Amino acid sequence: MSLRLPEPGTFEQLLRPVRIEVASLVRLSRYPATEPYWSAGVYRFDDPDPGRIGEFGTCYTASSIEVAFAESVIHASGRFVDGAYEVPSAELIERPVVRFACDRRKTLVLADLTGAALKALGLNNDISASADYAVSQAWAQAIHDADPRWHGIRYVSRQMNKGFAYAIFERSGLRKLHAEKLTSSQVDALCDRFNVTAV
């Protein structure tokens, strides 16, 4: 059974907020100078119709370096071969950890698409795990357009299902605070934890 679409009038009052500290957001980026990167029409909770009036960009962040590593480095560059993930060495050392700030606020109000809040909407975790982004993008647009108080969406990481990922809307005012390279001990610990071999 496919996920329901967000019909106007059927979901707005069911959305549950969760407050997230801006300082807790992390992203592993190939291009830290251009962060935050605002995507549209490509990824899970992007605006499905970029170019329309009221369009929005989405920046994907995570609740921890581990989630960011699983979501970006392993997912984008890893391949599982002979019992381990092989990841190019450059991907392990050339993605700095980006931290963020907002000039107008210290916390963001996100629509919670996890746990009981997700089920109360008549949805399940396919919203975070399906390879077809049509429904999740429709929900992102509907949530964005429903109320300007929503700064984004919290969802379960598909690549590390004990962690959260965040789709932050451009109107949040998110900006890069700083970027720093992972230390060699951090890289080694991440590789050990996720069964990654540098190639």
Side-chain angles (χ1 to χ4, degrees):
M1 180 185 230
S2 60
L3 291 174
R4 79 179 188 98
L5 289 168
E7 298 174 25
T10 69
F11 72 92
E12 294 88 345
Q13 298 304 314
L14 299 174
L15 291 171
R16 296 180 186 172
V18 60
R19 287 193 168 271
I20 303 297
E21 294 283 333
V22 175
S24 72
L25 303 177
V26 296
R27 180 173 164 88
L28 289 173
S29 175
R30 280 192 186 113
Y31 308 105
T34 61
E35 292 292 344
Y37 172 73
W38 303 107
S39 62
V42 178
Y43 302 111
R44 184 172 303 279
F45 291 107
D46 280 5
D47 187 333
D49 188 18
R52 71 183 173 94
I53 294 174
E55 70 179 305
F56 62 94
T58 304
C59 181
Y60 292 87
T61 67
S63 58
S64 68
I65 291 173
E66 291 82 4
V67 173
F69 185 80
E71 283 283 342
S72 60
V73 176
I74 298 174
H75 177 59
S77 304
R79 44 184 215 128
F80 201 76
V81 178
D82 295 329
Y85 284 102
E86 291 183 347
V87 174
S89 296
E91 287 294 319
L92 297 173
I93 60 173
E94 293 179 3
R95 283 184 185 246
V97 178
V98 178
R99 301 280 183 176
F100 298 93
C102 281
D103 293 332
R104 300 187 301 269
R105 58 186 60 92
K106 293 187 189 250
T107 62
L108 300 178
V109 178
L110 307 185
D112 194 3
L113 297 188
T114 71
L118 177 67
K119 202 63 181 170
L121 284 165
L123 299 171
N124 61 48
N125 209 47
D126 287 349
I127 197 88
S128 300
S130 172
D132 180 357
Y133 295 165
V135 174
S136 57
Q137 288 184 356
W139 275 96
Q141 181 177 351
I143 291 167
H144 180 274
D145 294 352
D147 193 317
R149 78 176 178 137
W150 300 116
H151 299 134
I153 294 167
R154 178 172 81 165
Y155 61 102
V156 174
S157 165
R158 181 183 184 196
Q159 304 301 325
M160 187 179 164
N161 64 3
K162 285 192 171 184
F164 296 124
Y166 309 116
I168 307 300
F169 298 148
E170 193 168 0
R171 69 177 171 210
S172 66
L174 196 70
R175 66 173 175 81
K176 182 179 81 174
L177 180 61
H178 61 81
E180 59 189 17
K181 290 204 169 212
L182 290 168
T183 66
S184 58
S185 62
Q186 284 177 305
V187 171
D188 290 345
L190 288 165
C191 288
D192 288 344
R193 180 163 190 195
F194 290 101
N195 191 25
V196 169
T197 300
V199 292

